[in-house]
């Protein structure tokens, strides 16, 4: 499973990148706002920093506007993936961009049938938001194996990109369900690596080693 980081914060991207296990970046308008930086400046910097795919989201809500925006976003780097909302106009834009050979990430997906539509429109990635489903009292992760099965049933190549991840259990469940990618906030990235027994065990090894005669 590939690991993307879900942020527009350059320091976070650099730190995750340094671990050597970062495969790409996803952003959205809220994450750009949170970075506190002008969009063009931060988008270019992320695209230059990361070799893997960088999802940049359109903000127009009609197909023609989305296509125009996509052409502008594509100029930030060869690794740009155009992020489109899962609305009828977004599906139309997805189809058109796919025909042009442009990579797309269809976002704000909350059901397996929506994911099926995105695959039929040729999406490179589908982004089901598991945490936001949890927030309204559903089990968000339930839709991931369902999407996986639908895609496998029909041989769709759209990659399942689990988004709105809130904790390490989401990452575990995404991997068990055979998701292609998890896009992970920096706070969860840090949680993934730490285990109290690792820290305790290492402290004991180092303590014992000091007492070993050379
Ligand atoms: O990037 C899209 C998604 O991961 C957003 O997550 O935490 O705002 O629901 P969240």
């Amino acid at each position: 499973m590939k690991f993307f980081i879900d942020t527009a914060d350059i320091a976070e991207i650099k730190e995750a990148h340094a671990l050597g296990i970062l495969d790409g970046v996803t952003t959205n308008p809220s994450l750009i706002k949170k970075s506190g930086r002008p969009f063009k400046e931060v988008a270019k910097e992320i695209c230059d920093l990361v070799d893997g795919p960088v999802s940049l989201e359109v903000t127009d809500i009609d197909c023609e506007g989305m296509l125009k925006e996509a052409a502008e976003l594509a100029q930030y780097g060869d690794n740009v993936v155009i992020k489109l909302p899962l609305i009828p106009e977004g599906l139309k834009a997805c189809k058109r961009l796919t025909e042009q050979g442009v990579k797309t990430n269809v976002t704000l997906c909350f059901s397996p049938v929506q994911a099926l539509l995105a695959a039929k429109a040729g999406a490179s990635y589908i982004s089901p938001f598991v945490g936001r489903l949890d927030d309204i009292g559903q089990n968000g992760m339930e839709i991931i194996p369902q999407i996986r099965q639908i895609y496998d049933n029909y041989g769709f190549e759209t990659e399942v990109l689990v988004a709105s991840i809130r904790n390490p259990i989401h990452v575990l469940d995404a991997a068990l369900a055979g998701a292609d990618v998890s896009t992970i906030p920096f706070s969860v990235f840090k949680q993934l690596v730490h285990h109290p027994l690792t820290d305790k065990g290492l402290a004991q090894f180092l303590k014992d080693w000091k007492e070993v005669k050379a």
Side-chain angles (χ1 to χ4, degrees):
M1 184 171 69
K2 284 173 270 191
F3 277 6
F4 290 178
I5 189 166
D6 198 28
T7 187
D9 184 307
I10 297 293
E12 291 182 352
I13 295 169
K14 281 185 178 165
E15 207 172 316
H17 188 51
L19 289 174
I21 54 169
L22 185 67
D23 300 299
V25 178
T26 52
T27 68
N28 63 39
S30 304
L31 292 170
I32 299 289
K33 179 183 167 198
K34 199 171 158 200
S35 79
R37 296 181 56 195
F39 173 67
K40 288 183 180 176
E41 183 187 289
V42 73
K44 180 86 183 95
E45 197 172 338
I46 295 171
C47 291
D48 289 346
L49 188 63
V50 179
D51 291 333
V54 175
S55 290
L56 301 177
E57 190 158 342
V58 300
T59 51
D60 223 301
I61 53 167
D62 72 86
C63 175
E64 293 306 322
M66 288 178 189
L67 295 176
K68 196 163 163 269
E69 241 185 300
E72 288 160 17
L73 295 176
Q75 290 174 5
Y76 294 118
D78 293 341
N79 49 350
V80 170
V81 173
I82 306 299
K83 209 169 175 189
L84 303 157
L86 211 162
I87 57 175
E89 293 296 301
L91 291 175
K92 285 185 210 170
C94 179
K95 181 77 178 170
R96 298 264 296 274
L97 289 169
T98 301
E99 284 165 357
Q100 294 168 20
V102 175
K103 298 259 185 218
T104 54
N105 174 357
V106 176
T107 188
L108 291 165
C109 170
F110 294 96
S111 82
V113 177
Q114 283 184 313
L116 173 57
L117 297 180
K120 286 181 72 69
S124 313
Y125 300 94
I126 182 68
S127 289
F129 277 28
V130 296
R132 291 193 193 185
L133 282 169
D134 291 352
D135 291 345
I136 60 160
Q138 292 186 32
N139 178 358
M141 281 309 303
E142 268 181 2
I143 68 170
I144 304 303
Q146 292 172 355
I147 296 171
R148 176 77 282 153
Q149 186 179 337
I150 291 167
Y151 284 8
D152 290 349
N153 283 351
Y154 298 101
F156 287 117
E157 289 180 6
T158 302
E159 293 193 45
V160 181
L161 191 169
V162 180
S164 188
I165 280 179
R166 302 279 162 75
N167 56 59
I169 304 293
H170 281 153
V171 180
L172 170 66
D173 287 343
L176 289 172
D180 300 286
V181 190
S182 280
T183 190
I184 306 169
F186 186 60
S187 56
V188 178
F189 246 107
K190 286 193 288 188
Q191 284 180 297
L192 292 180
V193 74
H194 287 297
H195 195 287
L197 291 179
T198 305
D199 297 341
K200 188 179 170 201
L202 179 61
Q204 187 65 46
F205 286 159
L206 295 178
K207 182 172 174 289
D208 290 343
W209 186 243
K210 274 189 185 164
E211 293 165 23
V212 172
K213 291 190 176 58

